[in-house]
Amino acid sequence: MSDTLIEVNDLKIHFFTDEGVVRAVDGVDLTIERGKTLCLVGESGCGKSVACRAFLQIVHSIGKIVSGEIIYHRRVDNNFEETIDIAQLNPKGRQIREIRGKEISMIFQEPMTSLSPMYTVGNQIMENILLHTNLSKEEARQLCVQLLDQVGIPQPHRLVDEYPFRLSGGMRQRAMIAMALSCNPTLLIADEPTTALDVTTQANILDLMRNIQKEYQMALLFITHDLGVVAEIADTVAVMYLGKIVESGDVDTIFNNPKHPYTQALLRSIPKISRTREKLDTIQGMVPNPYRRPGGCPFHPRCTQAMPECSTMVPSVTRFSDGHTTRCLLYENITTKQFAELS
Amino acid sequence: MDLEREVEDMWKFLFRRTLAMLFTVWVVSIISFAVIQLPPGDYVTTLMSQMVSQGGRELTPEYAEQLRELYGLNESMYVQYGKWITNIIFKGQFGYSFVYKRDAVELITERMPMTFALSMSSFVLVWVIALPIGIYSAVRKYSIGDYIFTFLGFIGLAVPSFLLALILLFVSQKYLGQAMIGLFSQEFADAAWSWDKFVDMLKHLWIPTILIGLGGTAGLIRTMRANLLDELNKPYVETARAKGLSETRLLLKYPVRHALNPFVSTIGWTLPNLVAGEVIVAIVLNLPTSGPVLYRALQSQDMFVAAGFILLLSILTVIGTFISDLLLAVLDPRIRLR
Amino acid sequence: MAQVPLVTDPSIEFADPFDKAEHTQAEVASQWKLMWWKFKRHKMAVVGGIVVLMFYLVALFAEFVAPVHFTSYNETYVYAPPQEIHLLQNGRFSPYVFGYRFERDPASFKKTWFIDESVIIPVGFFVSGEPYKLWGFIPGNWHLFGSKNPEEPFYLLGADKSGRDVFSRIVYSSRISLTVGLAGVTISLLLGILIGGISGLVGGAVDNAIQRLIEILISVPTLPLWLALAAVVPLDWTPVKVYFMITVILSLIGWTGLARVVRSKFLALREEDFILAAILDGVPRSRLIFRHMIPSFLSHIIASVTLAIPGMILGETALSFLGLGLREPVVSWGVMLRETQKVTVLATYPWLLWPAAAVIIVVLALNFLGDGLRDAADPYQ
């Protein structure tokens, strides 16, 4: 019985478009522990949303998982565990559909459009319950009201029959959370759930998510580009840049001892409250065109510490202590040197 | 839940829409009547020129005046319109047909039901064909099937129904030895209505139905395809997929259901097109519907018949649009609960 | 799929050297260039565009393209069937057609035509034949193709009831049939921009009233209305007047669609930042409309116009076919098709249906073209 819930090894997802192939996810390794929160951080377009959709096999149809594995350690009962490679499952097959919404559920960025305006909130939440449990319609409805109450929706008896377009953005996101919780998932994936909300609502939703995560003892994969959110919620952090995880480790290590120049730059770009007013650091340049990604280390055109070999050599994973890893030639040279000295 | 409020909203909506429809019908009645009044001269002048061209005697001015007096053709247009519309509303009288020498209402009751039947059956046909093909084309975008349907759709758009009718006439005459004209076999043409006559009509009905419907089908397939393609990438579809719904159930419950709304609102323009198609196909195939009568009435300034038919054909489409609005409100809570 | 050419414009300097590689031509091209690229990828639209262009060229040079004038007749060849062109003679390229021979039914005096394979009529390109005046004032006698001896019969698509060449008549007809669409669309467009513009710019009660009017007009089935209006045209009017009337009738209903497009664009534009910026800069209203608003939706207008032309062409064809539109001696595709209204004529002389092919091809091509233009009108999507 391990505490590992999901292991992702060398996952590659490519998008085959008219203009060419986009390597949206280009060799990602991740580990999600049971009951822990992993934050996946990166700029828009770095492939974090695509990667997390692969956990449910709901990548957009022009995107294909070309290689790698997503090992899901499914606990059948308290002393037996089976492993499933989600990457190998047929996206339309029965097996992945039984996992979706029941064992792994997901909430999305746009609460305004993630619920259909044609059906009531209750209908859409009950759909999930009826699909995965043997509850009767009446029982499902009761559970639904209970869930709405739990996620802090006032007057759940009334709002269960309300249409989503009559609710505020925050309320809709709460309803989405209720839907995701409805079958006691072991993993909840949240794809920037607070980005589209205003700041106060963001804080409330974040609080709610932290509480329910404790209550439900589930793992949380939280995707965000907001480092403030990360500091508040994460157990471990993975920093993604152009389809690769450039650094990962527990939250304290990442914030206090970042290794990768990109992580360092990201952290420098958070505004700090201090006596002296200083100009906020930004990362120079833009995320490159996805069709023509740079060779070598993908970050080298924007890296302040770039070396000549960075444009040709693809850095491999360097491991520090406590599961702290990075992909950067700066450290690779040191460790290989050290390794050579040691042996 | 606020069922009462919802019902009340629905009634208000119904009331508003009904008022709007009545207003439209009123304007349409003015248009119908005004159009008929536009030609210089009136039925009596047409009659006079006809008699001269047929080598008959010329009408004496006195007799012409008598005729005009008889039919009220001397009065101002407003008075004529007022008389015409009040007779229709309160007595169900559509005036007199100069050409057929009968009450216009007889012609209307004779012809309009068939027009209605034909328009409705082609409407049903259009939907039955366009809906599944539109869904297929969107879901299997850029597949061979999609390309074939898209191409056929374009051809359907380009071939007007009366040309199709001509081609059909030619083919049937050439290969079957008899032109497919009319709605009844010879033995039933003048017979009273019976079950056999009805069956016989159904046997003939499908040809004009297809001819009229085909053009509209193409447009609707493209509408459905485009609507559905828009919906397929909406976030709520992803939400539903992440629940573990099967693809078919997902497709029908979410994107198709959403795409249905703009599709329903196309009734507003498909119905006038179908009615127009019905008129011209009926003229070509000489069907016992309103088309040929309207055509003849317009040519000989048989004004009451023409105005009556134009009014009723327009009302047919106005009512269609009204029904589509109601249907839309039933289908879409966003419209109902505004 | 065609690739967007990845050429960077050397004349443009970028501030950030890292960005240079990222800027493709797509990012610096003008809107019209982007639309052209997008349009080119739509193969059927390009084909449609070429076909439409060819049709209009044929209409423009009808005198040259048609072997004979549309009024030229020859009683000898009443209802003569089409001749097939044979390309090779004794293994050499030398196109020819066979001549005619007929038998007269002794009872009905009806002619029955046969192709006489013993008579060979050589045909060719750029032959001199019937003299004409191009556009009414440039004299000439060269024809794109025809029989080498103008005295010999050459009926590519057969002859009609007066022994006139169906092909030549189709060629001349395109002048009327294709320009009715253009003229009708022009009138519709003017009405549409004017009324739609007022609706979109003024808004409020005016907008509401115009929208109701459009809804009502749309709910009247077009054909009965067209028929009624066309019946108004007096029989003794000159062809030019009738032609003008028909275009007006067609556009009386056609403007509604364009007005809706214009209105929705104006409404959408009012919300755009660049319009707000122009208003804040104190740009005068007329300049705002003509310099900023109209150019930004011109592409949509062009696409809508292209898609409106087929309806006009079909409308004219239908009206003339029913005898309520243009009439002889003017010749349009609808006028020609009028002869096929009698089933017996149609069945005996099916080649009289050829004008229908012209209608279908040009409408199809315009639809493809319009569809491609509509897709290309939004190059940023």
Side-chain angles (χ1 to χ4, degrees):
Chain A
M1 300 294 288
S2 72
D3 279 340
T4 306
L5 180 63
I6 285 184
E7 276 173 88
V8 179
N9 296 318
D10 196 32
L11 182 66
K12 287 184 180 170
I13 304 172
H14 293 180
F15 280 70
F16 299 91
T17 70
D18 291 344
E19 283 82 19
V21 177
V22 178
R23 290 178 291 166
V25 175
D26 199 22
V28 157
D29 303 298
L30 277 177
T31 309
I32 301 175
E33 302 286 328
R34 279 179 202 280
K36 293 280 169 59
T37 300
L38 170 65
C39 273
L40 192 54
V41 191
E43 285 168 286
S44 339
C46 71
K48 53 193 195 299
S49 289
V50 176
C52 72
R53 275 165 178 71
F55 289 29
L56 287 175
Q57 278 278 12
I58 54 169
V59 179
H60 188 279
S61 57
I62 57 167
K64 295 271 170 333
I65 299 180
V66 287
S67 70
E69 48 188 15
I70 304 169
I71 305 294
Y72 170 41
H73 297 270
R74 181 193 227 172
R75 206 167 270 183
V76 181
D77 52 56
N78 277 332
N79 41 32
F80 182 71
E81 214 174 68
E82 61 172 342
T83 56
I84 300 169
D85 183 3
I86 291 176
Q88 296 298 321
L89 297 181
N90 172 9
K92 290 182 180 170
R94 179 171 294 276
Q95 218 180 348
I96 186 68
R97 283 199 276 115
E98 276 169 5
I99 295 173
R100 285 179 197 160
K102 185 183 182 194
E103 292 164 42
I104 304 177
S105 57
M106 187 158 177
I107 53 181
F108 298 91
Q109 183 175 354
E110 291 286 336
M112 289 299 179
T113 48
S114 292
L115 287 167
S116 160
M118 294 291 176
Y119 302 97
T120 59
V121 171
N123 177 313
Q124 294 180 62
I125 297 176
M126 279 156 63
E127 182 180 42
N128 200 31
I129 301 171
L130 293 171
L131 197 66
H132 296 297
T133 64
N134 293 322
L135 294 184
S136 71
K137 262 204 166 140
E138 205 35 58
E139 289 166 328
R141 192 184 157 83
Q142 274 170 15
L143 176 59
C144 178
V145 172
Q146 202 184 318
L147 283 162
L148 289 175
D149 190 37
Q150 196 178 5
V151 297
I153 285 184
Q155 295 181 277
H157 287 280
R158 196 174 70 79
L159 282 161
V160 71
D161 288 317
E162 201 51 275
Y163 288 95
F165 58 88
R166 311 238 281 193
L167 303 181
S168 70
M171 284 298 137
R172 283 187 220 186
Q173 199 58 297
R174 282 171 197 268
M176 282 294 292
I177 294 171
M179 184 194 290
L181 292 180
S182 60
C183 294
N184 274 322
T186 44
L187 172 64
L188 174 64
I189 302 171
D191 185 7
E192 309 214 24
T194 56
T195 309
L197 303 172
D198 63 74
V199 185
T200 354
T201 322
Q202 271 188 20
N204 292 337
I205 295 289
L206 220 54
D207 271 349
L208 173 69
M209 294 201 63
R210 210 168 25 195
N211 292 338
I212 54 168
Q213 195 238 343
K214 286 211 182 78
E215 205 176 312
Y216 280 77
Q217 286 295 306
M218 62 185 179
L220 179 60
L221 173 59
F222 200 100
I223 291 124
T224 184
H225 59 257
D226 185 344
L227 287 170
V229 172
V230 176
E232 216 169 308
I233 202 167
D235 293 313
T236 50
V237 180
V239 182
M240 200 164 171
Y241 187 78
L242 276 191
K244 282 185 168 28
I245 303 289
V246 293
E247 180 158 13
S248 70
D250 66 74
V251 64
D252 292 335
T253 317
I254 297 289
F255 273 78
N256 297 326
N257 188 18
K259 295 287 187 198
H260 197 281
Y262 178 59
T263 318
Q264 291 166 355
L266 273 183
L267 287 165
R268 274 200 304 275
S269 66
I270 310 178
K272 288 186 199 77
I273 298 172
S274 59
R275 290 277 172 87
T276 52
R277 280 185 173 215
E278 44 196 88
K279 196 171 166 284
L280 193 62
D281 261 339
T282 53
I283 305 177
Q284 58 170 313
M286 304 255 288
V287 178
N289 183 330
Y291 297 109
R292 287 176 299 121
R293 44 199 309 138
C297 169
F299 187 60
H300 82 266
R302 302 169 71 189
C303 184
T304 46
Q305 302 170 54
M307 305 176 292
E309 55 267 42
C310 286
S311 58
T312 47
M313 272 177 71
V314 180
S316 53
V317 178
T318 310
R319 292 182 192 284
F320 304 96
S321 55
D322 305 333
H324 186 188
T325 65
T326 191
R327 275 177 187 269
C328 180
L329 290 178
L330 286 173
Y331 306 101
E332 203 168 309
N333 289 342
I334 295 168
T335 41
T336 38
K337 238 187 275 167
Q338 284 169 342
F339 185 75
E341 280 165 19
L342 280 174
S343 56
Chain B
M1 83 162 141
D2 302 326
L3 197 67
E4 269 174 40
R5 204 188 68 212
E6 203 167 304
V7 169
E8 194 186 313
D9 280 358
M10 197 68 204
W11 277 114
K12 271 188 202 155
F13 178 81
L14 203 65
F15 182 69
R16 268 206 321 272
R17 286 302 315 168
T18 314
L19 272 190
M21 180 183 72
L22 288 178
F23 177 73
T24 310
V25 169
W26 176 62
V27 178
V28 162
S29 78
I30 293 176
I31 295 176
S32 312
F33 197 78
V35 156
I36 303 309
Q37 295 283 343
L38 281 177
D42 51 31
Y43 170 68
V44 178
T45 28
T46 318
L47 187 70
M48 283 162 74
S49 63
Q50 262 177 9
M51 293 186 76
V52 172
S53 67
Q54 282 161 10
R57 279 182 307 119
E58 218 170 309
L59 284 178
T60 59
E62 291 78 28
Y63 183 61
E65 204 47 42
Q66 264 183 333
L67 276 177
R68 289 204 169 96
E69 203 65 46
L70 181 66
Y71 300 126
L73 299 177
N74 279 334
E75 280 158 297
S76 74
M77 196 176 140
Y78 311 103
V79 177
Q80 286 194 46
Y81 171 76
K83 279 189 180 169
W84 179 70
I85 198 76
T86 37
N87 274 333
I88 290 175
I89 295 170
F90 295 109
K91 298 187 197 150
Q93 290 295 322
F94 280 81
Y96 186 74
S97 165
F98 307 123
V99 175
Y100 292 87
K101 307 279 181 233
R102 293 162 67 187
D103 247 2
V105 75
E106 282 179 33
L107 280 169
I108 287 166
T109 46
E110 214 175 87
R111 299 286 179 136
M112 274 310 281
M114 292 310 286
T115 294
F116 184 74
L118 255 184
S119 305
M120 283 306 114
S121 54
S122 27
F123 180 75
V124 171
L125 178 87
V126 164
W127 271 54
V128 166
I129 297 177
L131 204 60
I133 292 183
I135 295 173
Y136 171 86
S137 279
V139 175
R140 299 256 177 282
K141 189 170 80 158
Y142 302 143
S143 68
I144 292 174
D146 177 30
Y147 279 121
I148 291 174
F149 285 127
T150 306
F151 189 73
L152 288 180
F154 269 111
I155 291 187
L157 276 182
V159 186
S161 48
F162 77 94
L163 279 186
L164 213 56
L166 278 181
I167 293 165
L168 177 91
L169 275 185
F170 165 65
V171 171
S172 61
Q173 179 79 37
K174 178 113 186 174
Y175 297 100
L176 304 175
Q178 107 184 64
M180 292 186 185
I181 289 186
L183 270 189
F184 304 102
S185 307
Q186 266 169 4
E187 63 263 38
F188 290 109
D190 295 315
W193 278 101
S194 63
W195 176 249
D196 287 341
K197 182 172 178 175
F198 181 71
V199 172
D200 181 63
M201 182 191 81
L202 286 186
K203 278 186 196 156
H204 285 79
L205 197 62
W206 66 272
I207 295 167
T209 302
I210 291 176
L211 291 179
I212 298 162
L214 229 48
T217 315
L220 279 195
I221 290 176
R222 276 149 48 93
T223 310
M224 186 66 202
R225 179 176 182 273
N227 291 342
L228 194 54
L229 280 179
D230 276 353
E231 297 297 335
L232 281 176
N233 292 320
K234 292 273 171 76
Y236 66 81
V237 179
E238 200 170 38
T239 309
R241 188 168 286 130
K243 282 181 197 172
L245 281 177
S246 75
E247 282 298 307
T248 320
R249 248 180 89 183
L250 173 103
L251 188 70
L252 293 180
K253 181 169 176 181
Y254 293 97
V256 168
R257 177 73 165 64
H258 280 244
L260 215 52
N261 292 2
F263 195 65
V264 166
S265 60
T266 58
I267 294 177
W269 56 262
T270 41
L271 218 53
N273 280 348
L274 286 179
V275 170
E278 194 278 324
V279 169
I280 193 160
V281 167
I283 296 171
V284 175
L285 296 184
N286 197 19
L287 303 178
T289 66
S290 48
V293 181
L294 173 65
Y295 178 49
R296 216 180 136 190
L298 285 169
Q299 280 182 321
S300 47
Q301 290 200 18
D302 195 354
M303 51 177 280
F304 291 124
V305 176
F309 273 111
I310 292 179
L311 176 65
L312 287 176
L313 289 175
S314 309
I315 287 180
L316 195 65
T317 65
V318 173
I319 291 175
T321 315
F322 176 67
I323 292 173
S324 86
D325 278 356
L326 293 192
L327 206 59
L328 217 53
V330 171
L331 279 175
D332 192 340
R334 282 169 299 184
I335 294 174
R336 191 168 67 231
L337 300 177
R338 218 173 10 208
Chain C
M1 275 300 151
Q3 293 249 339
V4 175
L6 301 171
V7 184
T8 41
D9 188 342
S11 66
I12 294 175
E13 280 293 320
F14 296 105
D16 187 339
F18 296 124
D19 274 24
K20 202 161 200 169
E22 268 53 76
H23 282 263
T24 64
Q25 197 176 341
E27 286 165 66
V28 293
S30 74
Q31 188 193 359
W32 294 102
K33 222 171 195 167
L34 284 177
M35 284 192 281
W36 171 238
W37 288 340
K38 194 158 178 198
F39 177 76
K40 271 199 304 191
R41 289 177 31 173
H42 208 314
K43 290 285 179 301
M44 287 313 285
V46 175
V47 173
I50 292 168
V51 171
V52 169
L53 190 71
M54 273 167 57
F55 263 85
Y56 276 97
L57 280 177
V58 165
L60 193 59
F61 298 103
E63 287 91 346
F64 168 68
V65 175
V68 293
H69 193 255
F70 70 95
T71 52
S72 301
Y73 65 95
N74 188 339
E75 300 99 331
T76 324
Y77 297 104
V78 168
Y79 288 132
Q83 288 159 310
E84 200 183 325
I85 293 186
H86 301 263
L87 292 179
L88 298 177
Q89 201 174 354
N90 304 328
R92 269 185 329 110
F93 179 77
S94 164
Y96 65 95
V97 294
F98 290 123
Y100 289 110
R101 160 172 77 76
F102 66 86
E103 278 166 18
R104 208 180 269 281
D105 186 87
S108 67
F109 286 100
K110 233 179 109 180
K111 276 179 183 169
T112 310
W113 287 99
F114 298 95
I115 296 292
D116 186 354
E117 304 210 353
S118 63
V119 182
I120 282 176
I121 304 170
V123 295
F125 284 107
F126 303 108
V127 293
S128 69
E130 210 179 65
Y132 54 80
K133 280 200 171 126
L134 186 61
W135 307 323
F137 60 90
I138 304 173
N141 62 356
W142 287 91
H143 294 265
L144 182 61
F145 66 97
S147 67
K148 286 186 172 159
N149 177 359
E151 300 301 309
E152 304 263 31
F154 175 54
Y155 294 105
L156 186 60
L157 299 179
D160 70 358
K161 60 173 189 242
S162 319
R164 294 175 296 197
D165 179 27
V166 170
F167 177 77
S168 299
R169 286 172 68 77
I170 290 178
V171 168
Y172 276 92
S173 291
S174 63
R175 282 203 168 152
I176 301 285
S177 295
L178 293 177
T179 53
V180 159
L182 282 188
V185 157
T186 310
I187 300 174
S188 306
L189 186 62
L190 293 177
L191 278 173
I193 288 185
L194 188 71
I195 300 176
I198 291 173
S199 198
L201 285 172
V202 178
V206 176
D207 179 33
N208 227 331
I210 291 174
Q211 288 313 303
R212 290 299 87 71
L213 176 71
I214 290 178
E215 270 169 31
I216 291 167
L217 276 179
I218 287 176
S219 72
V220 181
T222 49
L223 197 80
L225 201 57
W226 279 345
L227 289 180
L229 290 170
V232 175
V233 180
L235 286 167
D236 50 3
W237 273 19
T238 60
V240 177
K241 268 166 110 180
V242 176
Y243 174 86
F244 183 71
M245 245 344 256
I246 296 293
T247 54
V248 169
I249 290 170
L250 292 175
S251 42
L252 269 181
I253 294 147
W255 67 269
T256 50
L258 287 168
R260 283 192 154 180
V261 174
V262 173
R263 170 181 175 268
S264 68
K265 289 293 158 203
F266 269 124
L267 287 182
L269 277 175
R270 279 206 308 207
E271 312 293 321
E272 290 279 353
D273 290 343
F274 77 95
I275 295 296
L276 186 67
I279 294 172
L280 293 177
D281 281 349
V283 174
R285 203 177 168 86
S286 60
R287 190 178 155 78
L288 187 70
I289 293 170
F290 290 104
R291 281 288 301 158
H292 295 271
M293 294 180 115
I294 290 185
S296 75
F297 63 75
L298 200 60
S299 53
H300 289 267
I301 298 284
I302 292 172
S304 304
V305 162
T306 315
L307 287 170
I309 297 177
M312 301 273 172
I313 293 177
L314 290 177
E316 185 277 327
T317 309
L319 283 180
S320 301
F321 168 73
L322 291 173
L324 289 167
L326 296 160
R327 302 178 188 97
E328 295 264 10
V330 176
V331 61
S332 79
W333 293 331
V335 171
M336 291 182 73
L337 284 172
R338 185 160 170 67
E339 300 203 1
T340 63
Q341 253 195 16
K342 288 196 198 72
V343 186
T344 44
V345 173
L346 178 61
T348 332
Y349 317 115
W351 55 87
L352 295 181
L353 212 52
W354 273 113
V359 175
I360 292 170
I361 292 171
V362 81
V363 170
L364 198 62
L366 278 164
N367 272 321
F368 278 126
L369 175 65
D371 214 48
L373 288 175
R374 187 173 51 192
D375 283 354
D378 264 324
Y380 303 111
Q381 266 188 0

